[in-house]
Tab-separated table of all heavy atoms in Angstrom:
chain	number	residue	atom	x	y	z
A	34	PHE	N	11.671	4.037	7.435
A	34	PHE	CA	11.087	2.878	6.777
A	34	PHE	C	12.039	2.388	5.691
A	34	PHE	O	12.709	3.185	5.027
A	34	PHE	CB	9.743	3.235	6.135
A	34	PHE	CG	8.731	3.792	7.087
A	34	PHE	CD1	8.668	5.157	7.332
A	34	PHE	CD2	7.841	2.964	7.738
A	34	PHE	CE1	7.731	5.683	8.214
A	34	PHE	CE2	6.893	3.482	8.617
A	34	PHE	CZ	6.847	4.839	8.858
A	36	TYR	N	12.053	0.144	2.171
A	36	TYR	CA	11.231	-0.429	1.112
A	36	TYR	C	12.142	-1.155	0.126
A	36	TYR	O	13.325	-0.856	-0.002
A	36	TYR	CB	10.477	0.670	0.347
A	36	TYR	CG	9.448	1.424	1.133
A	36	TYR	CD1	9.809	2.519	1.911
A	36	TYR	CD2	8.105	1.075	1.088
A	36	TYR	CE1	8.867	3.235	2.635
A	36	TYR	CE2	7.147	1.793	1.793
A	36	TYR	CZ	7.542	2.868	2.561
A	36	TYR	OH	6.594	3.574	3.257
A	38	GLN	N	12.036	-2.372	-4.027
A	38	GLN	CA	11.317	-2.217	-5.297
A	38	GLN	C	11.977	-3.077	-6.343
A	38	GLN	O	13.140	-2.856	-6.696
A	38	GLN	CB	11.312	-0.751	-5.733
A	38	GLN	CG	10.471	-0.504	-6.992
A	38	GLN	CD	10.492	0.950	-7.443
A	38	GLN	OE1	11.451	1.672	-7.194
A	38	GLN	NE2	9.435	1.377	-8.106
A	41	LYS	N	10.120	-2.607	-12.378
A	41	LYS	CA	8.778	-2.405	-12.919
A	41	LYS	C	7.680	-2.794	-11.929
A	41	LYS	O	6.566	-3.134	-12.338
A	41	LYS	CB	8.610	-3.161	-14.239
A	41	LYS	CG	9.614	-2.745	-15.300
A	41	LYS	CD	9.426	-3.490	-16.593
A	41	LYS	CE	10.475	-3.070	-17.606
A	41	LYS	NZ	10.332	-3.788	-18.891
A	42	GLN	N	8.002	-2.744	-10.653
A	42	GLN	CA	6.990	-3.040	-9.645
A	42	GLN	C	6.905	-1.912	-8.624
A	42	GLN	O	7.718	-0.988	-8.632
A	42	GLN	CB	7.305	-4.356	-8.931
A	42	GLN	CG	7.200	-5.574	-9.833
A	42	GLN	CD	7.333	-6.868	-9.055
A	42	GLN	OE1	6.973	-6.945	-7.888
A	42	GLN	NE2	7.852	-7.893	-9.706
A	43	SER	N	5.936	-2.019	-7.749
A	43	SER	CA	5.744	-0.976	-6.752
A	43	SER	C	6.679	-1.177	-5.562
A	43	SER	O	7.393	-2.177	-5.466
A	43	SER	CB	4.294	-0.993	-6.277
A	43	SER	OG	4.035	0.111	-5.448
A	44	LEU	N	6.656	-0.232	-4.678
A	44	LEU	CA	7.463	-0.324	-3.464
A	44	LEU	C	6.762	-1.230	-2.457
A	44	LEU	O	5.558	-1.114	-2.229
A	44	LEU	CB	7.645	1.051	-2.822
A	44	LEU	CG	8.672	1.972	-3.441
A	44	LEU	CD1	8.190	2.549	-4.743
A	44	LEU	CD2	9.028	3.090	-2.470
A	45	MET	N	7.529	-2.097	-1.846
A	45	MET	CA	6.989	-2.970	-0.814
A	45	MET	C	7.701	-2.648	0.495
A	45	MET	O	8.933	-2.675	0.550
A	45	MET	CB	7.206	-4.433	-1.186
A	45	MET	CG	6.502	-4.855	-2.460
A	45	MET	SD	4.719	-4.666	-2.374
A	45	MET	CE	4.321	-5.853	-1.091
A	46	LEU	N	6.922	-2.365	1.523
A	46	LEU	CA	7.512	-2.062	2.817
A	46	LEU	C	8.161	-3.316	3.395
A	46	LEU	O	7.529	-4.369	3.455
A	46	LEU	CB	6.433	-1.543	3.766
A	46	LEU	CG	6.886	-1.180	5.174
A	46	LEU	CD1	7.845	0.008	5.145
A	46	LEU	CD2	5.681	-0.847	6.054
A	49	THR	N	9.844	-1.287	9.555
A	49	THR	CA	9.754	0.027	10.178
A	49	THR	C	10.790	0.081	11.291
A	49	THR	O	10.858	-0.828	12.134
A	49	THR	CB	8.360	0.247	10.765
A	49	THR	OG1	7.399	0.114	9.720
A	49	THR	CG2	8.245	1.628	11.387
A	59	GLU	N	7.870	-6.596	8.197
A	59	GLU	CA	6.634	-7.017	7.542
A	59	GLU	C	6.662	-8.537	7.343
A	59	GLU	O	7.722	-9.175	7.331
A	59	GLU	CB	6.466	-6.313	6.204
A	59	GLU	CG	6.284	-4.811	6.330
A	59	GLU	CD	5.063	-4.442	7.142
A	59	GLU	OE1	3.934	-4.805	6.735
A	59	GLU	OE2	5.217	-3.777	8.187
A	91	PHE	N	16.160	-2.683	-5.753
A	91	PHE	CA	16.311	-1.273	-5.434
A	91	PHE	C	15.767	-1.084	-4.023
A	91	PHE	O	14.605	-1.402	-3.764
A	91	PHE	CB	15.515	-0.452	-6.462
A	91	PHE	CG	15.867	0.997	-6.524
A	91	PHE	CD1	17.177	1.409	-6.665
A	91	PHE	CD2	14.885	1.961	-6.457
A	91	PHE	CE1	17.510	2.747	-6.739
A	91	PHE	CE2	15.200	3.319	-6.531
A	91	PHE	CZ	16.519	3.706	-6.667
A	93	ILE	N	14.909	1.400	-0.921
A	93	ILE	CA	14.587	2.812	-0.684
A	93	ILE	C	14.224	3.005	0.779
A	93	ILE	O	13.476	2.207	1.346
A	93	ILE	CB	13.400	3.257	-1.560
A	93	ILE	CG1	13.708	3.019	-3.040
A	93	ILE	CG2	13.064	4.725	-1.324
A	93	ILE	CD1	12.503	3.220	-3.945
A	99	GLY	N	8.576	13.110	12.879
A	99	GLY	CA	8.194	12.969	14.275
A	99	GLY	C	6.748	12.572	14.403
A	99	GLY	O	6.043	12.423	13.412
A	100	THR	N	6.326	12.393	15.625
A	100	THR	CA	4.930	12.017	15.843
A	100	THR	C	4.033	13.162	15.385
A	100	THR	O	4.355	14.327	15.549
A	100	THR	CB	4.664	11.724	17.325
A	100	THR	OG1	5.035	12.871	18.088
A	100	THR	CG2	5.462	10.534	17.789
A	101	GLY	N	2.946	12.791	14.783
A	101	GLY	CA	2.039	13.800	14.265
A	101	GLY	C	2.280	14.128	12.817
A	101	GLY	O	1.425	14.710	12.155
A	102	TRP	N	3.461	13.768	12.302
A	102	TRP	CA	3.741	13.993	10.885
A	102	TRP	C	3.053	12.908	10.069
A	102	TRP	O	3.002	11.752	10.447
A	102	TRP	CB	5.252	13.947	10.633
A	102	TRP	CG	5.890	15.266	10.852
A	102	TRP	CD1	6.273	15.810	12.042
A	102	TRP	CD2	6.230	16.227	9.865
A	102	TRP	NE1	6.828	17.042	11.844
A	102	TRP	CE2	6.820	17.331	10.513
A	102	TRP	CE3	6.089	16.266	8.481
A	102	TRP	CZ2	7.270	18.462	9.834
A	102	TRP	CZ3	6.559	17.389	7.799
A	102	TRP	CH2	7.128	18.459	8.483
A	103	HIS	N	2.560	13.286	8.914
A	103	HIS	CA	1.864	12.340	8.053
A	103	HIS	C	2.599	12.084	6.754
A	103	HIS	O	2.212	11.232	5.992
A	103	HIS	CB	0.463	12.868	7.730
A	103	HIS	CG	-0.332	13.183	8.960
A	103	HIS	ND1	-0.807	12.218	9.815
A	103	HIS	CD2	-0.695	14.357	9.507
A	103	HIS	CE1	-1.455	12.798	10.812
A	103	HIS	NE2	-1.401	14.083	10.653
A	104	GLU	N	3.622	12.834	6.484
A	104	GLU	CA	4.319	12.704	5.215
A	104	GLU	C	5.694	12.128	5.426
A	104	GLU	O	6.452	12.591	6.275
A	104	GLU	CB	4.426	14.055	4.528
A	104	GLU	CG	5.156	13.988	3.171
A	104	GLU	CD	5.248	15.336	2.494
A	104	GLU	OE1	4.640	16.299	2.990
A	104	GLU	OE2	5.935	15.423	1.466
A	105	GLN	N	6.018	11.103	4.670
A	105	GLN	CA	7.349	10.524	4.693
A	105	GLN	C	8.196	11.198	3.621
A	105	GLN	O	7.702	11.566	2.565
A	105	GLN	CB	7.293	9.022	4.401
A	105	GLN	CG	6.510	8.214	5.405
A	105	GLN	CD	6.477	6.752	5.038
A	105	GLN	OE1	7.316	6.266	4.274
A	105	GLN	NE2	5.524	6.036	5.573
A	106	PHE	N	9.465	11.308	3.908
A	106	PHE	CA	10.410	11.864	2.941
A	106	PHE	C	11.336	10.742	2.490
A	106	PHE	O	11.933	10.058	3.309
A	106	PHE	CB	11.166	13.031	3.565
A	106	PHE	CG	10.260	14.168	3.950
A	106	PHE	CD1	9.747	14.265	5.235
A	106	PHE	CD2	9.884	15.117	3.019
A	106	PHE	CE1	8.880	15.294	5.584
A	106	PHE	CE2	9.021	16.159	3.368
A	106	PHE	CZ	8.513	16.236	4.649
A	107	PHE	N	11.439	10.586	1.197
A	107	PHE	CA	12.124	9.433	0.630
A	107	PHE	C	13.562	9.734	0.232
A	107	PHE	O	13.877	10.824	-0.257
A	107	PHE	CB	11.356	8.912	-0.589
A	107	PHE	CG	10.095	8.199	-0.228
A	107	PHE	CD1	8.928	8.901	-0.004
A	107	PHE	CD2	10.094	6.826	-0.066
A	107	PHE	CE1	7.759	8.250	0.364
A	107	PHE	CE2	8.930	6.163	0.294
A	107	PHE	CZ	7.760	6.874	0.508
A	108	GLY	N	14.394	8.725	0.426
A	108	GLY	CA	15.751	8.808	-0.081
A	108	GLY	C	15.783	8.455	-1.551
A	108	GLY	O	14.784	7.996	-2.109
A	109	PRO	N	16.933	8.642	-2.190
A	109	PRO	CA	17.049	8.401	-3.627
A	109	PRO	C	17.150	6.930	-3.992
A	109	PRO	O	17.062	6.584	-5.165
A	109	PRO	CB	18.328	9.143	-4.000
A	109	PRO	CG	19.123	9.142	-2.742
A	109	PRO	CD	18.136	9.231	-1.614
A	110	GLY	N	17.329	6.064	-3.005
A	110	GLY	CA	17.401	4.640	-3.293
A	110	GLY	C	18.814	4.135	-3.485
A	110	GLY	O	19.742	4.897	-3.792
A	112	ARG	N	20.699	0.862	-5.455
A	112	ARG	CA	20.535	-0.301	-6.325
A	112	ARG	C	21.577	-1.340	-5.958
A	112	ARG	O	22.780	-1.076	-6.037
A	112	ARG	CB	20.676	0.087	-7.793
A	112	ARG	CG	20.403	-1.080	-8.746
A	112	ARG	CD	20.160	-0.632	-10.173
A	112	ARG	NE	19.049	0.292	-10.310
A	112	ARG	CZ	17.770	-0.052	-10.275
A	112	ARG	NH1	17.437	-1.321	-10.076
A	112	ARG	NH2	16.824	0.844	-10.420
B	6	GLN	N	-4.693	0.809	-8.409
B	6	GLN	CA	-4.598	1.761	-9.504
B	6	GLN	C	-5.189	1.092	-10.737
B	6	GLN	O	-4.885	-0.052	-11.035
B	6	GLN	CB	-3.141	2.187	-9.723
B	6	GLN	CG	-2.613	3.015	-8.570
B	6	GLN	CD	-1.191	3.502	-8.775
B	6	GLN	OE1	-0.337	3.284	-7.943
B	6	GLN	NE2	-0.942	4.184	-9.887
B	9	HIS	N	-2.494	-0.458	-15.602
B	9	HIS	CA	-1.101	-0.877	-15.462
B	9	HIS	C	-0.217	-0.037	-16.382
B	9	HIS	O	0.870	0.386	-15.985
B	9	HIS	CB	-0.992	-2.347	-15.806
B	9	HIS	CG	0.399	-2.873	-15.732
B	9	HIS	ND1	1.122	-2.931	-14.565
B	9	HIS	CD2	1.224	-3.347	-16.690
B	9	HIS	CE1	2.324	-3.424	-14.805
B	9	HIS	NE2	2.416	-3.678	-16.086
B	32	ASN	N	-4.358	10.265	4.497
B	32	ASN	CA	-3.567	11.235	3.752
B	32	ASN	C	-3.201	10.571	2.436
B	32	ASN	O	-2.814	9.405	2.408
B	32	ASN	CB	-2.311	11.614	4.522
B	32	ASN	CG	-2.642	12.122	5.910
B	32	ASN	OD1	-3.406	13.054	6.053
B	32	ASN	ND2	-2.084	11.496	6.917
B	34	PHE	N	-1.349	10.604	-1.485
B	34	PHE	CA	-0.180	11.117	-2.191
B	34	PHE	C	-0.117	10.553	-3.605
B	34	PHE	O	-0.558	9.427	-3.861
B	34	PHE	CB	1.112	10.694	-1.471
B	34	PHE	CG	1.158	11.039	-0.005
B	34	PHE	CD1	0.548	10.229	0.943
B	34	PHE	CD2	1.834	12.178	0.424
B	34	PHE	CE1	0.598	10.548	2.288
B	34	PHE	CE2	1.891	12.497	1.770
B	34	PHE	CZ	1.275	11.680	2.696
B	36	TYR	N	3.066	10.018	-6.299
B	36	TYR	CA	4.496	10.123	-6.560
B	36	TYR	C	4.766	9.791	-8.018
B	36	TYR	O	4.053	8.997	-8.633
B	36	TYR	CB	5.285	9.153	-5.683
B	36	TYR	CG	5.361	9.531	-4.228
B	36	TYR	CD1	4.375	9.116	-3.327
B	36	TYR	CD2	6.420	10.302	-3.743
B	36	TYR	CE1	4.450	9.465	-1.997
B	36	TYR	CE2	6.492	10.648	-2.416
B	36	TYR	CZ	5.508	10.226	-1.545
B	36	TYR	OH	5.572	10.575	-0.218
B	38	GLN	N	7.988	8.537	-10.645
B	38	GLN	CA	9.341	7.985	-10.726
B	38	GLN	C	9.743	7.970	-12.193
B	38	GLN	O	9.252	7.149	-12.978
B	38	GLN	CB	9.390	6.580	-10.131
B	38	GLN	CG	10.796	6.034	-9.976
B	38	GLN	CD	10.804	4.683	-9.253
B	38	GLN	OE1	9.882	3.886	-9.388
B	38	GLN	NE2	11.843	4.424	-8.485
B	41	GLY	N	14.942	5.500	-14.147
B	41	GLY	CA	16.253	5.536	-13.518
B	41	GLY	C	16.394	6.522	-12.386
B	41	GLY	O	17.502	6.727	-11.879
B	42	GLN	N	15.302	7.138	-11.975
B	42	GLN	CA	15.386	8.134	-10.907
B	42	GLN	C	14.574	7.723	-9.690
B	42	GLN	O	13.849	6.732	-9.710
B	42	GLN	CB	14.912	9.494	-11.428
B	42	GLN	CG	15.785	10.042	-12.549
B	42	GLN	CD	15.435	11.474	-12.892
B	42	GLN	OE1	14.984	12.237	-12.031
B	42	GLN	NE2	15.651	11.852	-14.129
B	43	HIS	N	14.699	8.504	-8.622
B	43	HIS	CA	13.987	8.152	-7.413
B	43	HIS	C	12.606	8.798	-7.375
B	43	HIS	O	12.253	9.601	-8.230
B	43	HIS	CB	14.811	8.549	-6.185
B	43	HIS	CG	15.013	10.027	-6.028
B	43	HIS	ND1	15.961	10.729	-6.733
B	43	HIS	CD2	14.394	10.929	-5.249
B	43	HIS	CE1	15.922	11.988	-6.376
B	43	HIS	NE2	14.976	12.150	-5.481
B	44	LEU	N	11.863	8.424	-6.375
B	44	LEU	CA	10.509	8.937	-6.207
B	44	LEU	C	10.499	10.441	-5.974
B	44	LEU	O	11.301	10.969	-5.222
B	44	LEU	CB	9.837	8.284	-5.004
B	44	LEU	CG	9.345	6.853	-5.135
B	44	LEU	CD1	8.890	6.366	-3.777
B	44	LEU	CD2	8.225	6.754	-6.147
B	46	LEU	N	7.628	13.556	-5.055
B	46	LEU	CA	6.253	13.853	-4.673
B	46	LEU	C	5.629	14.805	-5.688
B	46	LEU	O	6.166	15.872	-5.953
B	46	LEU	CB	6.223	14.473	-3.275
B	46	LEU	CG	4.847	14.831	-2.728
B	46	LEU	CD1	4.030	13.574	-2.483
B	46	LEU	CD2	4.990	15.636	-1.435
B	49	LYS	N	-0.090	16.128	-2.674
B	49	LYS	CA	-0.572	15.413	-1.502
B	49	LYS	C	-1.864	16.058	-1.021
B	49	LYS	O	-2.100	17.250	-1.250
B	49	LYS	CB	0.478	15.439	-0.398
B	49	LYS	CG	0.837	16.849	0.059
B	49	LYS	CD	2.024	16.834	1.000
B	49	LYS	CE	2.414	18.266	1.369
B	49	LYS	NZ	3.669	18.325	2.157
B	51	PHE	N	-4.100	16.326	2.576
B	51	PHE	CA	-4.252	16.030	4.000
B	51	PHE	C	-5.656	16.384	4.456
B	51	PHE	O	-6.316	15.613	5.130
B	51	PHE	CB	-3.225	16.807	4.834
B	51	PHE	CG	-1.819	16.277	4.739
B	51	PHE	CD1	-0.770	16.931	5.370
B	51	PHE	CD2	-1.516	15.129	4.021
B	51	PHE	CE1	0.527	16.450	5.288
B	51	PHE	CE2	-0.229	14.641	3.926
B	51	PHE	CZ	0.802	15.310	4.576
B	88	GLU	N	6.675	6.375	-14.234
B	88	GLU	CA	5.816	5.491	-13.447
B	88	GLU	C	5.165	6.354	-12.364
B	88	GLU	O	5.825	7.167	-11.722
B	88	GLU	CB	6.653	4.392	-12.791
B	88	GLU	CG	5.859	3.281	-12.150
B	88	GLU	CD	5.526	2.149	-13.113
B	88	GLU	OE1	6.184	2.033	-14.155
B	88	GLU	OE2	4.596	1.372	-12.802
B	90	PHE	N	2.802	6.487	-8.904
B	90	PHE	CA	2.350	5.704	-7.767
B	90	PHE	C	1.418	6.526	-6.893
B	90	PHE	O	1.742	7.639	-6.490
B	90	PHE	CB	3.534	5.248	-6.905
B	90	PHE	CG	4.468	4.303	-7.588
B	90	PHE	CD1	5.634	4.765	-8.180
B	90	PHE	CD2	4.193	2.947	-7.639
B	90	PHE	CE1	6.507	3.896	-8.809
B	90	PHE	CE2	5.067	2.075	-8.268
B	90	PHE	CZ	6.218	2.552	-8.858
B	94	GLY	N	-1.540	7.038	3.420
B	94	GLY	CA	-0.986	6.942	4.754
B	94	GLY	C	-1.993	7.463	5.748
B	94	GLY	O	-2.831	8.291	5.424
B	95	SER	N	-1.927	6.945	6.930
B	95	SER	CA	-2.779	7.473	7.984
B	95	SER	C	-2.061	7.288	9.303
B	95	SER	O	-1.202	6.409	9.430
B	95	SER	CB	-4.136	6.775	7.998
B	95	SER	OG	-3.972	5.391	8.217
B	96	TYR	N	-2.389	8.099	10.251
B	96	TYR	CA	-1.704	8.059	11.532
B	96	TYR	C	-1.922	6.707	12.177
B	96	TYR	O	-3.038	6.241	12.328
B	96	TYR	CB	-2.212	9.176	12.441
B	96	TYR	CG	-1.351	9.370	13.653
B	96	TYR	CD1	-0.103	9.962	13.542
B	96	TYR	CD2	-1.770	8.935	14.899
B	96	TYR	CE1	0.701	10.134	14.647
B	96	TYR	CE2	-0.973	9.114	16.005
B	96	TYR	CZ	0.260	9.707	15.875
B	96	TYR	OH	1.053	9.865	16.973
B	99	ASN	N	0.678	1.976	8.416
B	99	ASN	CA	1.812	2.086	7.506
B	99	ASN	C	1.407	2.726	6.195
B	99	ASN	O	0.254	2.697	5.790
B	99	ASN	CB	2.402	0.705	7.238
B	99	ASN	CG	3.234	0.220	8.394
B	99	ASN	OD1	3.803	1.019	9.119
B	99	ASN	ND2	3.314	-1.079	8.566
B	100	PHE	N	2.380	3.275	5.565
B	100	PHE	CA	2.240	3.869	4.252
B	100	PHE	C	2.054	2.748	3.248
B	100	PHE	O	2.824	1.797	3.241
B	100	PHE	CB	3.544	4.603	3.959
B	100	PHE	CG	3.402	5.854	3.170
B	100	PHE	CD1	2.749	6.945	3.696
B	100	PHE	CD2	3.949	5.965	1.922
B	100	PHE	CE1	2.650	8.122	2.984
B	100	PHE	CE2	3.868	7.135	1.204
B	100	PHE	CZ	3.216	8.217	1.730
B	101	VAL	N	1.053	2.840	2.392
B	101	VAL	CA	0.803	1.777	1.409
B	101	VAL	C	0.826	2.371	0.008
B	101	VAL	O	0.133	3.356	-0.271
B	101	VAL	CB	-0.551	1.093	1.671
B	101	VAL	CG1	-0.821	0.034	0.602
B	101	VAL	CG2	-0.575	0.468	3.055
B	102	PHE	N	1.601	1.772	-0.854
B	102	PHE	CA	1.691	2.209	-2.237
B	102	PHE	C	0.773	1.368	-3.123
B	102	PHE	O	0.588	0.169	-2.895
B	102	PHE	CB	3.123	2.053	-2.759
B	102	PHE	CG	4.044	3.157	-2.328
B	102	PHE	CD1	4.717	3.074	-1.127
B	102	PHE	CD2	4.231	4.273	-3.126
B	102	PHE	CE1	5.569	4.089	-0.726
B	102	PHE	CE2	5.076	5.294	-2.736
B	102	PHE	CZ	5.741	5.192	-1.529
B	103	GLY	N	0.244	1.998	-4.134
B	103	GLY	CA	-0.448	1.262	-5.178
B	103	GLY	C	0.561	0.573	-6.075
B	103	GLY	O	1.767	0.815	-5.972
B	104	PRO	N	0.115	-0.272	-6.975
B	104	PRO	CA	1.025	-1.039	-7.833
B	104	PRO	C	1.709	-0.214	-8.896
B	104	PRO	O	2.665	-0.674	-9.521
B	104	PRO	CB	0.095	-2.083	-8.467
B	104	PRO	CG	-1.260	-1.458	-8.423
B	104	PRO	CD	-1.296	-0.633	-7.185
B	105	GLY	N	1.242	0.989	-9.100
B	105	GLY	CA	1.872	1.864	-10.081
B	105	GLY	C	1.197	1.804	-11.437
B	105	GLY	O	0.610	0.774	-11.826
B	107	ARG	N	2.281	2.825	-15.415
B	107	ARG	CA	3.305	3.335	-16.315
B	107	ARG	C	2.647	4.198	-17.379
B	107	ARG	O	1.693	3.764	-18.034
B	107	ARG	CB	4.056	2.190	-16.989
B	107	ARG	CG	5.185	2.681	-17.892
B	107	ARG	CD	5.835	1.542	-18.620
B	107	ARG	NE	6.304	0.527	-17.720
B	107	ARG	CZ	6.823	-0.638	-18.133
B	107	ARG	NH1	6.919	-0.889	-19.407
B	107	ARG	NH2	7.233	-1.517	-17.260
Side-chain angles (χ1 to χ4, degrees):
Chain A
F34 303 89
Y36 294 85
Q38 185 181 28
K41 302 180 182 180
Q42 293 188 30
S43 188
L44 282 74
M45 298 299 295
L46 180 65
T49 302
E59 295 300 299
F91 197 51
I93 303 171
T100 56
W102 273 82
H103 305 290
E104 180 180 353
Q105 298 179 21
F106 298 94
F107 287 84
R112 184 164 302 283
Chain B
Q6 292 182 234
H9 178 64
N32 305 304
F34 307 82
Y36 288 88
Q38 189 174 33
Q42 297 189 30
H43 65 280
L44 285 173
L46 180 67
K49 60 189 176 187
F51 286 176
E88 190 88 19
F90 295 97
S95 60
Y96 192 73
N99 283 331
F100 215 66
V101 177
F102 280 87
R107 183 184 305 174

